Amino acid sequence: MVRISAVSSIPMKIALLVLALVVGCTKENAAFCCIDPADCAAQGVDESRLCTDGLSCVNNTCVASTCATTGCAAAAPVCEIATDMCVGCADSTDCTRFPATDVCSASGACVECVSNMDCDPTRPVCDAMACRTCKLDTECPSAACGEDGACVPEANVVYLSPTGTDAVPCARALPCQQLSFAIRQTTISRNHLVFALGTYEYGSQPLIINSAVTSSNRIVVHGGGSTLTGGSSDGGLMLYVPATLRDLVVINSHVGSSQALYFASAGLLERVRLRGHNGLAVAGQVTAKELIVNADDQGISNTGALTLDVATIAGGTTAIWSRQGSLDITNLLTFGTTGIALDIDGSGGSMAFSTVYSTAQGTDPGGVRCAIAPFTIRASIVWTPSAPTTRPGITGSCMLNSTIAGPLGVVGAMNSDPLFVNPTTNDFHLSGASPARDVIDMGPTGDFEGDPRPRRSPVRHRRLRGSVARFSRESGRSTPPIP
């Protein structure tokens, strides 16, 4: 009987262990995977090893897919199970589970829109892959953006052209020529008037819009940068029905006491320019945004309720005359008047973030006169440097708050030269050394130029050279100065 000693059995055990390891290595790892030839070659495998359905290959190991169970976000909406990664959409069918962003963009993200065609009528404009309301007439196929931010259907628009023909129905393909004819085609539902760019004459008689010429309870004029001109001693465009005027120049060339535009009812002006002996007369409730007025005498006369938000009034005798009613003024620039710039001794209200620069001479205050009704001037500059400098820039019962007035000191106001960049060339930006900087830290978000208002700065004005400023960027059209 042969005995095998314990020592001699050790090499045999080692051999058996090595054999077991060799046999074990020949058995495939069921969890191993590689997804393409390069990945497989890197792992020393000469063929692809894909995972079974429902599993993802992550770090060369088959695991349950995470994106398949938790889902993917709209930015990368498709779960690629093989790699357990969320990837971009191929078309809009990949975005159907995102009702608010169901359109596939070129970047592969699900978004609200890629063109205006993806937006609904209430928010018709696609901007940065999101739908919004229209702001400009040029954003609408009908050339008419409604006051509710929806594009107005062509069926609700009366069209005009300088080369049109005054014949019914004043459709887009066959526009009218005269506003006096076109206004008679308006109705309650068809109350928008769209002007093709050009000049329109109203003659030597005032153009009166009242209930006798329209059945509409509100008229909306989309001027498109056009000019409406005439020469009437009794007034220019006179509105006795509620109306909105947008992107329009109105001129009354008659030398006399008449105005270019008269509002007897409620009204809204957006990016409108006025030129005449007098500019705007208000007897109703009117809001004007981005208004420019050049008048020989009175820029604005008010007996109603007037709100100004960004306005330039240049030249004339008086910028604003208001002996009754109310005024709410923000971001006003007026300069070059030969009399009292703001003669408002019968109106209540306020003026803020505004600049009044008067070159008037005489004994009357050149800046602002308040008297009967309380009127507040806040975060503004009223500067009247012309001789005699012994007269105050502000008189009457004005209540002053964070305001500069001078050169003669006014009780309640700071008396420091505002140090405009160059008022002789109508550049009323504040210089770096101006004491008007860093005075106030509350106010409207935008300044006179439409830019975000710097914190703790009471007023910023665009550079104005000549007699008028250009329309803001929002007008969508470059318009020449008023003749």
Side-chain angles (χ1 to χ4, degrees), residues 340-344 351 354-358 363-371 375-384 389-415:
I340 303 172
L342 272 64
D343 193 355
I344 52 176
M351 177 177 72
S354 298
T355 292
V356 177
Y357 186 89
S358 176
T363 57
D364 288 332
V368 182
R369 176 165 65 182
C370 309
F375 190 84
T376 300
I377 301 176
R378 181 173 64 89
S380 296
I381 300 171
V382 180
W383 201 251
T384 57
T389 56
T390 56
R391 57 190 179 136
I394 302 175
T395 62
S397 59
C398 299
M399 295 180 288
L400 308 179
N401 184 1
S402 299
T403 288
I404 290 177
L408 184 66
V410 176
V411 176
M414 294 176 283
N415 182 226

Side-chain angles (χ1 to χ4, degrees), residues 159-480:
Y159 288 93
L160 297 91
S161 170
T163 59
T165 301
D166 290 333
V168 176
C170 301
R172 191 168 199 173
L174 297 169
C176 301
Q177 184 182 55
Q178 298 294 328
L179 179 57
S180 57
F181 181 86
I183 197 67
R184 293 181 179 274
Q185 313 312 313
T186 57
T187 63
I188 291 177
S189 61
R190 194 184 183 209
N191 64 331
H192 292 260
L193 298 109
V194 169
F195 288 60
L197 181 62
T199 299
Y200 298 80
E201 301 278 348
Y202 63 81
S204 60
Q205 297 297 318
L207 182 55
I208 298 173
I209 298 178
N210 57 20
S211 58
V213 298
T214 179
S215 61
S216 176
N217 55 14
R218 186 175 187 88
I219 295 297
V220 183
V221 174
H222 307 263
S226 293
T227 298
L228 180 64
T229 183
S232 171
S233 60
D234 297 320
L237 179 58
M238 307 183 73
L239 297 160
Y240 292 87
V241 297
T244 294
L245 303 184
R246 183 184 298 163
D247 300 313
L248 186 68
V249 178
V250 182
I251 299 174
N252 186 354
S253 59
H254 185 271
V255 178
S257 60
S258 60
Q259 68 281 329
L261 179 62
Y262 173 72
F263 265 99
S265 188
L268 173 63
L269 304 177
E270 294 180 326
R271 301 177 296 274
V272 169
R273 298 180 173 194
L274 303 174
R275 180 75 174 94
H277 184 80
N278 297 318
L280 171 65
V282 174
Q285 184 172 347
V286 174
T287 296
K289 300 178 180 181
E290 296 187 58
L291 176 69
I292 298 173
V293 180
N294 288 96
D296 300 324
D297 188 13
Q298 292 179 354
I300 298 175
S301 62
N302 174 59
T303 57
L306 175 62
T307 298
L308 289 179
D309 183 9
V310 184
T312 301
I313 306 175
T317 304
T318 302
I320 300 177
W321 179 92
S322 186
R323 294 297 175 89
Q324 58 180 321
S326 64
L327 292 168
D328 182 1
I329 302 170
T330 306
N331 282 329
L332 167 69
L333 170 61
T334 178
F335 61 96
T337 52
T338 59
I340 303 172
L342 272 64
D343 193 355
I344 52 176
D345 66 351
S347 295
S350 64
M351 177 177 72
F353 299 93
S354 298
T355 292
V356 177
Y357 186 89
S358 176
T359 55
Q361 298 185 8
T363 57
D364 288 332
V368 182
R369 176 165 65 182
C370 309
I372 302 171
F375 190 84
T376 300
I377 301 176
R378 181 173 64 89
S380 296
I381 300 171
V382 180
W383 201 251
T384 57
S386 299
T389 56
T390 56
R391 57 190 179 136
I394 302 175
T395 62
S397 59
C398 299
M399 295 180 288
L400 308 179
N401 184 1
S402 299
T403 288
I404 290 177
L408 184 66
V410 176
V411 176
M414 294 176 283
N415 182 226
S416 301
D417 189 330
L419 299 177
F420 298 117
V421 170
N422 193 347
T424 59
T425 59
N426 302 327
D427 184 350
F428 295 100
H429 286 92
L430 300 175
S431 67
S434 172
R437 290 182 175 271
D438 301 324
V439 173
I440 198 78
D441 60 1
M442 296 179 64
T445 56
D447 66 8
F448 184 86
E449 296 175 303
D451 298 324
R453 184 180 298 281
R455 186 171 176 82
R456 298 192 63 82
S457 181
V459 61
R460 288 181 68 219
H461 286 312
R462 75 177 73 214
R463 176 168 297 183
L464 302 179
R465 296 194 181 276
S467 60
V468 295
R470 62 176 176 83
F471 276 176
S472 80
R473 293 182 295 274
E474 287 298 307
S475 68
R477 188 188 299 275
S478 177
T479 308

